[in-house]
Amino acid sequence: MIIDPTQRKWALGSLAFFAISTLAYVLYAVSASSGPRGGSFVGLIFGSVGFAFMWFAALLGARKRVPTWRLGRAQAWMRGHLWLGLLSLPLILFHGGFHFGGTLTRVLMWLLIITVASGLFGAALQNYVPRMMTTDVPLETIYDEIGNVRKSLREEADRAMESICGPMGLSVDTAEEPLRAGGFSALRPIAASSAPLRTSAAVSAGASAAVAVAAERIFLNAEESAPLERFYISEMRAYLEDPKRRGQRLGDANKARCAFAGLQTLLPAAAQATLKDLEEICDESRQFVRQERLHHWLHGWLLVHIPLSLALMILGAVHAVMALRY
Amino acid sequence: MARTRTTKVLAQRIDLNYFKRPTPYKRAKLALSVLVPLLALGWIGWRGFSRDSRVYSSGRMSEAHAVLEKQCAVCHLKKERAFSSKAVDSACLGCHDGPVHHENQIKAEVPECADCHVEHRGRVNIRAASNESCTECHGNLKAGDGAVHYATNIRSLGDGHPEFAALRQGAKDPGTILLNHATHLKPIRRGPNGPIVQLECGDCHRTAATNAPWTYGDAQFATATVSYKDEKEFLPVRAQGLPRRRGLDGREYMAPVKFGTACAGCHSLAFDKRIDEQVPHDKPEIVHAFVVKKLQEYIATHPSEVRVLRDPSRDLTGKPLRPKVRVLTASQSVAERTDDAEKLLWRKTCKQCHVLENSTGSALPRIAAGRITQRWLPHAKFDHDAHRGFSCVSCHVKAVSSKESSDVLIPGIANCQACHAPGPAHAESRCFECHTYHDWSKRKEVRPTYVMPGLQTGGK
Amino acid sequence: MGGNANSLVELSIDGKAVQVPAGTTVYDAARLNGIAIPTLCHLQNQTPVGVCRLCVVDTGARVLSASCVRPVEPGMKVVTNSEKVLAARKTLLELLMADHPASCTRQNRSGDCELETLAKSAGIGASRFTRRTVSRGEDDSSLAIAVDHDACILCDRCIRGCDEVKNNFVLGRMGKGYAAGIAFDLNAPMGDSTCISCGECMVSCPTGALTNKVVVGTEIAAGSDSQTFSVEQLHKLPVFAGVSGTFLELNRGAIVQRRFRKGEAICREGEFGSTAFYIVEGKAQVAISTPIAHVKTQGGGQGFFKKLSSILVGREEDKREEEARDRSIPIDASVDLSYGNPVAELGPGDLFGEMTCMNFYPRSATVRAESDVVAFEMLRNVLDIMMKNKTFRAQLDNNYRRRALENHLRGVPMFAQLSPDFIERLKQSVELVRYGPGQMIARQGEAAGSFYLVRIGFVKISEEYPGGELVLAYLSRGDYFGEIGLLGGGVRTATCTALDHVEVVRIPGEDFREMMERFPGVRSGLEAVAAERRAANAQRLQMVQSVPIDQFLSQGLMEAQSLLILDLQKCTRCDACVNACADAHDGVTRLVREGLRFENFLVATSCRQCRDPLCMVGCPVGSIRRRNSLEVIIEDWCIGCGLCARNCPYGNINLHPFEVMAEDPEHAGWQKAVVQQKATSCDLCTHLKEPSCVYACPHDAAHRVDPRKFFAGIVGRGSIS
């Protein structure tokens, strides 16, 4: 969630709420005969409002499980999560009168502090990382699919190589294809049948993807293709297989550019287009590494935030019951 | 064959069901989301199972109650169909008797024990009630007629507490014993022919429990039995304040200064230079009898002394001279000498410190009652022993310069506030430090309820 | 040419004395005496015309003469292979080759292009002459014969074949100079001409100018129950009378007779095919067996939780206004199926599978033999020949008119009130008209003449606006058009173009007007539809502003009416949108969070509601269509052929296997779970009021926007810089 002027209403509202509750707390703390306590009437109000805010914040997770239920826009929930969740910390501090209390309450307090802190950290990241991702990873794809996309890039590179160097015996993975998007499965039965695709002019003009035109093949001779083949087999393919391994020349944008520029001078004109494709493929693969890293930053904090908040909710409920009982 | 990036080509790389497929990240998230709450639940469950309810405690219990930490229900008695958020009085009264504050306190205003004695604040002194619990009622010192006599809006020692009554404007020491502290604290000759000495406060002011030998005392006087009663000389102690819960051990307060132990060393009560003995420190009647008796004995043993030679050094000009030699009868001699001795005593020796009433007539004078104040702070308690590390004059500054015995020499409240202030850098400053709530004189005995094993599962 | 026909003439050819009857041409004389003279324009069975001059010989005259037309003269000394003759021939060949495609279709296919063979034997390599720069074009309109005008050497062999041999008089010459070429009728596309596809021209042609179209594997895979025909057998069939034997020979195996036992499936819906069937005997049942389900989100359902969630979701019934009335599903046969009970019957004389055969669309329905059935299965070129046959066509027309007007026209509730006598009258006056791909049926601004009902193929209705064309609709079988022009000012408001092989039923203007007068109910109904269409069109046109900018255009964003965009600076890649989409659509996502970027927005892969919805073209059952408002929706009788997904240029339509209950073929009356593919595409969550993806985005990143409005600022800026 980006913090922008559209959040002003929430921000001002929360600020006002915070100010009012601080005022209330100060008045209460000064007047209370035995100091601010969670068990007093005001303390209980702080506690229950704070806990209610926490619950609301935690319910975002549940809300996300039923995205289509018309319970208010997810955006509003997110804003509520952010601001009310943030407010819950001072409220709970007021509730405890800035005392951490016994074991359970101490644990709760730390859980809350860590949860809120991780949330703030996450919110900060969400302000910053998406911009970074947008500028640094123009060829971004879906994180979950990076593995598959990498595989397809490798296959594409293999095909590109074989299109100019002739069959190189690069292994073709014949594993079961998943259900692909983009009308992919619609293409398969057609590709299987030998029917030439001749629907209408309009369609073939628009749906270019449907018509696969076999490109004219010009193979390089062994001498010409040797440097490219060597480079591809020993370096590029290894890189495409595992782009995250350290110390690879292609892992560095500048070094990679140099490597390809060097090859460019060694190869005949017929191979230049393919070389350019290979460079693009490398580039894409490299960007995915960056994307993964950024994605981990962008989502990693949730590994702390979510489990701890769940623990917080459970222990908070226990605390509420036990505290009201005793 | 340049690579083309079209939406369709891009989309075709994507598994349509990718979002249903677990990734390591999603797995980790799920595992943690299950594991951590389970862990929390397990922990709390284990605690519950092992019947250790300390975890729910909102804080550690006070020293006195630490043994109850695991047993919430001892204090938090279950009320019928209700939660009990604080310990009920009946639970407290099981062990403690909390005598009432005032006899005439309005019942509805009597707070519950837990209102003032807040538990779960760590290993603190449970008796330490907050200022607010006192100032709630005593913040405004109004009399029954509604008029404010001393102060309003008292919040704490540092905030709104009035000056001690003894030090208020115009307040005087009611004592009748004359003493110039300033003189005594300068180098002073010990007795008529004694050496010059420097007195210490402790030479005269000591607590009852002090057992060091007195520097300036005289055993004869110290051990002598006297006919006057201390009670008559001292103002009563417990005039207004409530008694402490536990008795005094004699080190808290300075005992009243007594002649035998503090004064006799210097202030000789000799009455006749021919007789070594001093008069007892007692009522004039006793002194008179003693003087007469001693002189009669003296005449009996020294019959020649009935002949009286005129002492030229006492031949004051302007006065008719006495005959050079006079011979008196024994009784005459006793009477004359007694008269001389008593003139010395009543006019000088006793009068140096005591107020003598009816001293001009021929009848024996009467020594005014001492009216010595034993407790200057009648509503509060003070412990000199606790302050023993400080030199006396560092608080009783006025003692060094006080020339009048009517000066009240206890330090002002500001002196207390210098150390007794809120915050960790200061000594305790809450009301309870000096004031007592419960009237322990009305204490009732409590029947023991608990048996040892029942509480043995207490704190480790 | 005097002389007795019986008298002999003596002459010498290449020094050899020969004797031939008077009137014989030099070429024939040489041929009779075993001397070969190369020719191009000459054919044995045709009147010689001597246009190619390749057969020149030296007769000792001032100039060389064409041997094919030069009659022998007594004492003539003919030299056929002197230096001079060979040089002349070589130059001629070189000139011809300069204008010939590098290797023409015929050469490619069978290596028997006569021109190229001759040129090769004369050792002609690259021509010294400049090539023609303007192409004379191709004519792809005939289903059986391909015309490549560029390969034509104007030998006239085809013209003579058509006129002299077959007496069809379709072919002739047109144009002058470089533009000269052969023409069908008055230069009509071959497919639309009166040509009956006998194939004579094609077998006459020496080059690749006229070639037999190779249709999907020229042979139908023969099964045990199929029977192929010899040319003789075919000729015996009335529909093939008069067709060139060579042509039939070439297309041997393109027609078979098949027998189907009762209950056997003749074809199945969704399959791709290339053949049509003509029932000779027996009855067949045509039905859509794909369960009608799942494209619409189910929702609702049983169980407390589901009901509760339905209430919470605020799900409205996914009402598609048109469903309320008894809608019929157009299929590839002479009958339509009703939505409620998609079953119909076909009998002898019925032709089905034309769309598949002509336009390569997937089969729209499953046909099963109801009794034992004998049918011809044929490929497109054969079908074309049959369709060109007058008797066959008359029968077909008759069949169709009856059905089209009864089921099809009256099936539309609006026309239901037409009286039987009027229908009878219409039967006489309506006309079946065929159009080839790209052919215009009516042009915007023309005077409106007729009302049309689409029988086969897709008609594009478009309107012009400054700088482009806006596609208003793609009409398929069962749709009608032309009413706006007739009801309005008598001027066509839109251009109607055939997208593929289209056949329409034309109802003449007079009949239409009469219908309007006689049946005011029909009139008011049509007027309402016309007004609705006009309003929708006007609205669409209004949205069109020309704001061209490279990337905006190249990504096709201009074409879109509604884009799902994700603000990448806000998006945390949490996939909430995808999950919401799946949640709203029975666990299947209709959006993929991948695609191209525009500025800092990701244009997600989700239906864009294109102005020109290419996806609609070719749907064999008309289940993908535009709603009256805006969005493109897929109706749930989709048969899962995948054509729309293939056609969508943006990959926004996906095929999903759904498990549905269908009738168990082995146990009548039993239901059985089967996996059925269905096409899915974004429906803008119409049942939920707002797209779920947008609703569920916690970061305010996802939006459904009109690209023109939304990007107006950006595009404006871009055009300045």
Side-chain angles (χ1 to χ4, degrees):
Chain A
M1 174 114 264
I2 230 166
I3 307 299
D4 58 11
T6 59
Q7 305 253 19
R8 187 176 294 147
K9 247 202 278 179
W10 276 100
L12 289 180
S14 311
L15 204 70
F17 191 90
F18 176 68
I20 291 168
S21 47
T22 310
L23 194 70
Y25 174 72
V26 169
L27 289 177
Y28 151 71
V30 165
S31 67
S33 62
S34 49
R37 291 179 51 207
S40 68
F41 181 68
V42 184
L44 278 178
I45 288 190
F46 276 129
S48 43
V49 173
F51 195 47
F53 282 2
M54 279 195 258
W55 263 105
F56 177 79
L59 279 176
L60 180 74
R63 172 77 184 89
K64 282 189 173 177
R65 305 259 154 247
V66 285
T68 52
W69 290 17
R70 264 39 185 174
L71 302 170
R73 302 179 61 85
Q75 189 196 327
W77 277 79
M78 193 66 202
R79 291 184 176 188
H81 177 88
L82 202 80
W83 291 104
L84 300 186
L86 187 62
L87 276 178
S88 69
L89 180 63
L91 284 177
I92 294 303
L93 285 174
F94 292 164
H95 166 65
F98 294 89
H99 292 291
F100 280 24
T103 322
L104 180 61
T105 48
R106 189 172 298 273
V107 167
L108 278 171
M109 212 53 135
W110 280 113
L111 280 178
L112 178 65
I113 289 172
I114 297 172
T115 306
V116 171
S118 66
L120 285 175
F121 178 65
L125 283 177
Q126 289 188 347
N127 269 289
Y128 181 60
V129 180
R131 289 169 211 263
M132 217 154 122
M133 186 103 92
T134 310
T135 49
D136 291 7
V137 193
L139 301 179
E140 174 188 354
T141 186
I142 296 172
Y143 169 78
D144 303 28
E145 283 293 284
I146 284 181
N148 284 339
V149 174
R150 262 201 197 116
K151 206 177 97 195
S152 75
L153 280 182
R154 203 176 64 236
E155 283 164 8
E156 194 185 343
D158 284 352
R159 277 199 305 278
M161 279 302 289
E162 292 191 336
S163 76
I164 54 165
C165 299
M168 293 167 69
L170 298 169
S171 66
V172 177
D173 196 358
T174 50
E176 184 62 28
E177 280 278 332
L179 183 61
R180 295 287 187 81
F184 187 82
S185 51
L187 294 178
R188 284 193 290 174
I190 297 169
S193 82
S194 57
L197 298 169
R198 299 178 60 127
T199 49
S200 69
V203 172
S204 28
S208 54
V211 190
V213 183
E216 205 175 346
R217 293 197 158 187
I218 304 162
F219 293 137
L220 305 179
N221 62 35
E223 194 187 333
E224 282 172 329
S225 67
L228 182 62
E229 273 183 42
R230 210 165 38 239
F231 165 77
Y232 185 73
I233 298 292
S234 67
E235 197 165 344
M236 177 155 169
R237 205 140 188 286
Y239 177 70
L240 292 179
E241 297 265 359
D242 183 11
K244 274 179 278 191
R245 197 158 51 82
R246 291 186 170 277
Q248 300 191 82
R249 189 157 61 132
L250 292 175
D252 182 290
N254 288 323
K255 285 185 193 162
R257 205 177 305 128
C258 293
F260 278 102
L263 273 175
Q264 205 179 348
T265 56
L266 294 174
L267 292 177
Q272 297 296 347
T274 305
L275 189 67
K276 189 125 191 65
D277 289 352
L278 292 178
E279 188 172 358
E280 273 175 31
I281 289 170
C282 270
D283 200 36
E284 198 162 348
S285 191
R286 187 164 47 246
Q287 289 191 16
F288 289 159
V289 177
R290 175 94 177 125
Q291 188 194 341
E292 279 178 319
R293 208 167 290 147
L294 287 176
H295 194 93
H296 291 155
W297 271 106
L298 197 52
H299 290 254
W301 63 276
L302 281 171
L303 294 180
V304 174
H305 190 71
I306 292 176
L308 288 192
S309 65
L310 288 175
L312 176 66
M313 295 328 293
I314 289 175
L315 293 181
V318 170
H319 166 72
V321 169
M322 295 315 273
L324 287 176
R325 242 189 110 201
Y326 292 113
Chain B
M1 54 162 291
R3 304 173 71 228
T4 47
R5 265 176 89 79
T6 67
T7 306
K8 192 156 185 159
V9 169
L10 289 179
Q12 282 172 4
R13 305 191 301 194
I14 304 303
D15 176 2
L16 252 183
N17 289 322
Y18 79 88
F19 61 97
K20 297 177 187 163
R21 223 179 40 211
T23 59
Y25 168 74
K26 281 187 196 160
R27 277 207 202 95
K29 198 161 83 174
L30 185 71
L32 280 174
S33 300
V34 171
L35 216 67
V36 172
L38 274 184
L39 214 66
L41 214 57
W43 173 65
I44 207 84
W46 170 62
R47 283 298 166 136
F49 199 71
S50 60
R51 310 192 58 78
D52 183 355
S53 36
R54 269 180 301 170
V55 284
Y56 311 123
S57 151
S58 64
R60 308 204 73 179
M61 307 269 294
S62 62
E63 302 272 0
H65 292 150
V67 72
L68 300 173
E69 274 207 327
K70 283 185 181 175
Q71 293 172 344
C72 310
V74 170
C75 303
H76 299 279
L77 294 177
K78 284 196 187 88
K79 284 189 204 159
E80 199 60 37
R81 280 184 301 152
F83 288 124
S84 143
S85 70
K86 53 186 179 186
V88 290
D89 280 0
S90 57
C92 304
L93 295 173
C95 299
H96 309 278
D97 180 51
V100 75
H101 184 45
H102 287 309
E103 278 304 349
N104 51 356
Q105 213 173 351
I106 305 163
K107 269 276 180 277
E109 283 181 7
V110 177
E112 288 177 39
C113 304
D115 284 345
C116 304
H117 299 292
V118 183
E119 253 304 354
H120 299 295
R121 285 291 167 85
R123 290 272 189 263
V124 296
N125 181 4
I126 181 80
R127 289 186 293 128
S130 68
N131 286 340
E132 287 78 6
S133 29
C134 299
T135 57
E136 212 170 346
C137 298
H138 301 285
N140 292 320
L141 299 180
K142 283 182 185 167
D145 56 6
V148 176
H149 286 233
Y150 303 112
T152 50
N153 231 359
I154 301 169
R155 297 191 186 288
S156 66
L157 177 65
D159 180 6
H161 195 291
E163 179 56 279
F164 302 136
L167 290 172
R168 284 202 201 103
Q169 198 72 42
K172 284 189 170 153
D173 187 336
T176 59
I177 309 298
L178 306 171
L179 181 82
N180 186 334
H181 274 95
T183 308
H184 278 82
L185 287 172
K186 287 183 191 131
I188 192 170
R189 185 169 295 279
R190 177 173 186 173
N193 303 308
I196 300 292
V197 292
Q198 172 64 56
L199 292 183
E200 300 288 337
C201 300
D203 290 339
C204 308
H205 298 285
R206 291 189 182 174
T207 61
T210 313
N211 55 8
W214 293 90
T215 329
Y216 301 104
D218 188 323
Q220 185 200 334
F221 288 98
T223 54
T225 45
V226 291
S227 64
Y228 59 89
K229 296 258 189 319
D230 279 354
E231 297 86 70
K232 288 196 177 161
E233 303 302 319
F234 303 153
L235 292 176
V237 172
R238 285 164 31 211
Q240 289 142 312
L242 293 170
R244 290 171 183 250
R245 185 156 156 268
R246 297 187 194 285
L248 297 169
D249 63 0
R251 300 187 71 90
E252 291 87 353
Y253 294 108
M254 289 299 154
V257 178
K258 294 211 174 155
F259 177 81
T261 50
C263 311
C266 305
H267 293 271
S268 164
L269 296 185
F271 60 95
D272 196 305
K273 55 187 170 197
R274 284 165 293 250
I275 298 169
D276 287 338
E277 276 182 279
Q278 298 180 18
V279 294
H281 187 256
D282 210 329
K283 292 182 177 173
E285 293 78 34
I286 310 286
V287 172
H288 176 73
F290 179 81
V291 170
V292 171
K293 186 182 160 223
K294 281 295 160 188
L295 285 173
Q296 282 171 347
E297 282 171 15
Y298 185 79
I299 287 297
T301 48
H302 301 82
S304 61
E305 294 284 340
V306 292
R307 224 174 63 113
V308 181
L309 291 178
R310 198 179 65 195
D311 180 3
S313 63
R314 298 186 59 149
D315 188 9
L316 303 172
T317 50
K319 285 241 177 171
L321 289 173
R322 290 233 176 143
K324 210 160 188 160
V325 176
R326 288 183 298 131
V327 178
L328 306 171
T329 63
S331 60
Q332 264 181 334
S333 170
V334 167
E336 193 168 294
R337 290 202 177 185
T338 303
D339 191 43
D340 280 351
E342 287 188 342
K343 264 185 190 142
L344 172 73
L345 287 168
W346 308 145
R347 302 239 179 106
K348 190 161 183 280
T349 312
C350 298
K351 207 180 177 184
Q352 195 172 14
C353 303
H354 289 284
V355 174
L356 274 74
E357 289 163 355
N358 193 22
S359 60
T360 50
S362 57
L364 286 176
R366 213 162 46 81
I367 306 277
R371 293 171 62 78
I372 289 168
T373 307
Q374 293 187 77
R375 301 284 162 86
W376 285 103
L377 305 172
H379 285 288
K381 56 193 185 214
F382 179 79
D383 187 351
H384 274 106
D385 195 30
H387 296 82
R388 64 185 171 277
F390 298 101
S391 75
C392 306
V393 287
S394 63
C395 296
H396 298 278
V397 183
K398 284 181 282 182
V400 184
S401 57
S402 164
K403 294 193 162 97
E404 298 295 328
S405 45
S406 63
D407 293 342
V408 179
L409 297 184
I410 59 162
I413 195 163
N415 187 66
C416 303
Q417 285 162 347
C419 297
H420 293 275
H426 297 281
E428 179 62 64
S429 70
R430 280 173 288 175
C431 307
F432 74 89
E433 183 72 358
C434 306
H435 299 288
T436 307
Y437 175 84
H438 296 289
D439 186 353
W440 290 104
S441 62
K442 302 197 175 66
R443 184 174 189 171
K444 293 188 284 282
E445 291 312 316
V446 173
R447 266 176 74 97
T449 329
Y450 294 102
V451 284
M452 276 302 282
L455 290 179
Q456 251 178 3
T457 47
K460 290 171 203 168
Chain C
M1 303 218 186
N4 193 333
N6 296 323
S7 63
L8 293 175
V9 176
E10 283 187 17
L11 71 162
S12 78
I13 301 175
D14 292 343
K16 186 181 177 185
V18 296
Q19 205 175 30
V20 291
T24 310
T25 59
V26 174
Y27 173 79
D28 285 337
R31 189 175 56 90
L32 288 172
N33 290 285
I35 296 164
I37 299 173
T39 60
L40 265 181
C41 72
H42 185 63
L43 261 189
Q44 203 66 42
N45 57 347
Q46 292 178 355
T47 316
V49 287
V51 292
C52 74
R53 316 303 290 181
L54 206 66
C55 57
V56 285
V57 289
D58 191 350
T59 54
R62 183 175 54 87
V63 290
L64 303 177
S65 47
S67 62
C68 66
V69 287
R70 181 84 161 96
V72 291
E73 281 173 24
M76 213 179 214
K77 281 194 171 55
V78 180
V79 182
T80 65
N81 50 6
S82 68
E83 286 281 307
K84 185 180 175 186
V85 169
L86 290 178
R89 276 193 200 138
K90 194 170 178 188
T91 308
L92 277 168
L93 280 170
E94 213 173 331
L95 282 165
L96 283 170
M97 281 301 284
D99 201 20
H100 192 77
S103 63
C104 67
T105 318
R106 191 178 290 269
Q107 184 69 20
N108 283 345
R109 202 177 286 156
S110 50
D112 63 353
C113 171
E114 293 177 27
L115 173 60
E116 286 181 50
T117 313
L118 285 173
K120 203 173 177 187
S121 63
I124 294 163
S127 173
R128 289 174 285 152
F129 306 105
T130 338
R131 289 191 151 272
R132 172 207 300 278
T133 49
V134 184
S135 166
R136 286 184 290 181
E138 293 181 11
D139 181 355
D140 204 27
S141 60
S142 166
L143 295 181
I145 297 163
V147 184
D148 181 1
H149 289 293
D150 282 339
C152 176
I153 53 169
L154 300 174
C155 68
D156 281 0
R157 268 155 64 158
C158 53
I159 298 174
R160 282 171 283 156
C162 190
D163 297 357
E164 293 172 9
V165 182
K166 292 289 179 193
N167 295 133
N168 279 333
F169 304 103
V170 175
L171 268 166
R173 280 286 199 100
M174 56 120 191
K176 292 177 188 164
Y178 284 124
I182 56 165
F184 299 86
D185 290 344
L186 294 169
N187 198 18
M190 187 178 186
D192 305 316
S193 68
T194 53
C195 162
I196 59 160
S197 302
C198 69
E200 191 61 40
C201 52
M202 184 183 80
V203 296
S204 311
C205 182
T207 67
L210 290 163
T211 46
N212 182 35
K213 268 193 179 169
V214 178
V215 190
V216 194
T218 45
E219 283 196 29
I220 301 169
S224 55
D225 54 351
S226 64
Q227 176 196 347
T228 45
F229 296 89
S230 67
V231 177
E232 290 72 37
Q233 281 171 311
L234 281 175
H235 269 137
K236 279 181 199 145
L237 295 170
V239 290
F240 294 111
V243 175
S244 147
T246 322
F247 180 59
L248 287 176
E249 190 63 41
L250 276 170
N251 288 309
R252 231 158 83 108
I255 178 164
V256 293
Q257 190 187 56
R258 307 188 79 138
R259 289 176 181 281
F260 298 94
R261 270 181 300 282
K262 188 180 173 186
E264 205 179 333
I266 300 173
C267 64
R268 285 176 203 281
E269 65 206 37
E271 284 175 350
F272 280 81
S274 52
T275 58
F277 294 88
Y278 175 74
I279 302 179
V280 183
E281 276 176 47
K283 280 187 174 176
Q285 187 197 54
V286 54
I288 287 188
S289 60
T290 301
I292 291 174
H294 263 298
V295 178
K296 276 200 312 189
T297 307
Q298 301 298 292
Q302 299 85 38
F304 169 74
F305 186 73
K306 274 210 158 176
K307 272 182 192 151
L308 175 79
S309 74
S310 285
I311 295 165
L312 283 169
V313 164
R315 197 187 285 279
E316 285 184 337
E317 195 55 36
D318 183 6
K319 277 211 182 89
R320 302 185 169 176
E321 64 273 33
E322 299 84 354
E323 262 169 38
R325 64 189 194 222
D326 186 20
R327 197 178 146 83
S328 56
I329 305 172
I331 54 158
D332 187 7
S334 48
V335 290
D336 279 347
L337 303 179
S338 83
Y339 182 79
N341 180 29
V343 180
E345 201 171 82
L346 296 170
D350 275 327
L351 181 70
F352 62 90
E354 278 168 279
M355 291 262 273
T356 304
C357 180
M358 306 268 278
N359 295 334
F360 297 106
Y361 293 145
R363 301 271 183 217
S364 60
T366 301
V367 180
R368 264 173 213 289
E370 212 165 52
S371 57
D372 285 353
V373 167
V374 178
F376 290 145
E377 182 178 5
M378 65 204 89
L379 287 170
R380 190 163 77 160
N381 32 10
V382 177
L383 176 70
D384 193 53
I385 297 165
M386 286 173 72
M387 299 286 277
K388 295 276 170 131
N389 183 287
K390 291 189 179 70
T391 43
F392 181 75
R393 182 142 185 92
Q395 181 205 341
L396 207 65
D397 265 13
N398 201 29
N399 252 351
Y400 183 70
R401 278 177 208 218
R402 179 165 54 83
R403 288 225 178 104
L405 294 173
E406 278 174 9
N407 307 346
H408 192 137
L409 186 60
R410 293 185 76 187
V412 181
M414 197 185 298
F415 297 110
Q417 46 185 298
L418 298 180
S419 63
D421 66 305
F422 185 72
I423 296 277
E424 205 52 46
R425 251 211 46 204
L426 277 181
K427 271 188 199 167
Q428 309 309 316
S429 57
V430 298
E431 201 183 342
L432 270 180
V433 191
R434 301 177 55 155
Y435 293 92
Q439 223 180 332
M440 213 171 268
I441 302 170
R443 188 193 292 277
Q444 189 176 349
E446 266 179 2
S450 308
F451 177 67
Y452 300 91
L453 212 56
V454 182
R455 181 172 119 68
I456 291 180
F458 283 85
V459 177
K460 181 174 79 174
I461 311 294
S462 59
E463 226 170 291
E464 280 183 18
Y465 71 90
E469 176 191 53
L470 173 70
V471 177
L472 302 174
Y474 288 105
L475 302 181
S476 64
R477 187 187 174 89
D479 287 324
Y480 50 87
F481 60 94
E483 79 285 358
I484 297 179
L486 284 170
L487 286 171
V491 175
R492 293 276 179 228
T493 53
T495 301
C496 312
T497 320
L499 271 184
D500 44 20
H501 297 283
V502 168
E503 216 168 275
V504 294
V505 180
R506 191 170 76 81
I507 301 175
E510 309 85 67
D511 289 318
F512 182 79
R513 272 184 278 276
E514 194 189 328
M515 178 166 83
M516 294 293 98
E517 275 162 31
R518 279 184 57 182
F519 307 100
V522 176
R523 184 187 178 92
S524 59
L526 269 180
E527 275 174 347
V529 171
E532 202 177 288
R533 283 188 183 175
R534 263 200 296 265
N537 295 350
Q539 194 197 343
R540 276 177 212 150
L541 265 177
Q542 206 180 10
M543 290 190 283
V544 179
Q545 299 143 12
S546 50
V547 273
I549 169 169
D550 293 348
Q551 206 195 5
F552 195 62
L553 283 177
S554 69
Q555 285 190 18
L557 301 183
M558 270 297 276
E559 281 300 314
Q561 296 193 91
S562 167
L563 285 181
L564 176 62
I565 54 158
L566 302 175
D567 185 337
L568 288 173
Q569 300 196 331
K570 291 180 177 173
C571 175
T572 64
R573 285 72 167 163
C574 67
D575 268 345
C577 45
V578 177
N579 284 315
C581 185
D583 202 56
H585 300 110
D586 300 332
V588 165
T589 184
R590 299 185 179 191
L591 98 91
V592 178
R593 203 173 45 72
E594 167 69 303
L596 295 178
R597 286 180 179 182
F598 183 72
E599 295 282 310
N600 52 10
F601 296 97
L602 175 75
V603 179
T605 305
S606 172
C607 183
R608 302 172 166 205
Q609 322 292 357
C610 294
R611 267 156 236 282
D612 182 1
L614 293 167
C615 51
M616 290 183 197
V617 177
C619 178
V621 290
S623 87
I624 184 165
R625 64 190 182 83
R626 209 201 265 290
R627 263 180 129 158
N628 282 356
S629 40
L630 180 93
E631 59 279 14
V632 175
I633 53 164
I634 300 176
E635 299 281 11
D636 48 8
W637 62 75
C638 166
I639 56 168
C641 67
L643 196 63
C644 48
R646 206 177 58 174
N647 283 352
C648 175
Y650 310 111
N652 291 343
I653 300 179
N654 287 311
L655 286 179
H656 258 287
F658 287 100
E659 199 162 271
V660 292
M661 299 306 284
E663 267 186 30
D664 191 341
E666 280 150 33
H667 308 279
W670 287 54
Q671 296 262 302
K672 176 179 149 181
V674 292
V675 170
Q676 174 63 47
Q677 255 193 24
K678 295 262 183 188
T680 59
S681 123
C682 173
D683 58 359
L684 295 177
C685 285
T686 36
H687 56 300
L688 297 172
K689 295 195 183 91
E690 185 183 1
S692 292
C693 45
V694 176
Y695 187 76
C697 176
H699 304 287
D700 195 24
H703 296 283
R704 263 272 173 201
V705 297
D706 179 345
R708 284 154 206 272
K709 283 186 195 142
F710 188 79
F711 291 119
I714 297 168
V715 170
R717 262 191 286 121
S719 61
I720 292 164
S721 64

